[in-house]
Amino acid sequence: MSEKKLKITQVRSIIGGTKKQKATIQALGLGRPNYSVERKDNPCTRGQIRVVQHLVKVEEV
């Protein structure tokens, strides 16, 4: 039984973002544009993505 995963890629810089957005990017494991991480698809991750949805691109893996 495999869990769904999300590939999250930062596409825009965090410069000019709020403290909450900067903390969320860091919590997701991102930091620079074009960095990607894979995370489990769960409500917690979806909530983090919603905070920075204008800075990231999300794909199901």
Side-chain angles (χ1 to χ4, degrees), residues 5 15-16 23 27 29 32-34 36 44 48-49 53-54 57:
K5 291 202 169 215
I15 293 174
R32 295 188 209 174
N34 299 320
S36 296
C44 180
Q48 290 176 325
I49 291 169
Q53 64 187 354
H54 59 291
K57 177 178 75 174

Side-chain angles (χ1 to χ4, degrees), residues 18-52:
T18 65
K19 287 183 182 181
K20 184 176 181 180
Q21 291 168 346
K22 290 178 184 181
T24 303
I25 287 290
Q26 189 174 16
L28 284 168
L30 300 169
R32 295 188 209 174
N34 299 320
Y35 271 29
S36 296
V37 293
E38 285 190 12
R39 295 284 180 248
K40 293 179 186 176
D41 186 4
N42 58 38
C44 180
T45 304
R46 290 284 182 171
Q48 290 176 325
I49 291 169
R50 186 170 300 213
V51 172
V52 292

Side-chain angles (χ1 to χ4, degrees), residues 3-14:
E3 262 188 55
K4 287 186 178 180
K5 291 202 169 215
L6 299 173
K7 181 178 180 184
I8 306 165
T9 306
Q10 185 176 348
V11 294
R12 295 190 61 203
S13 173
I14 193 62

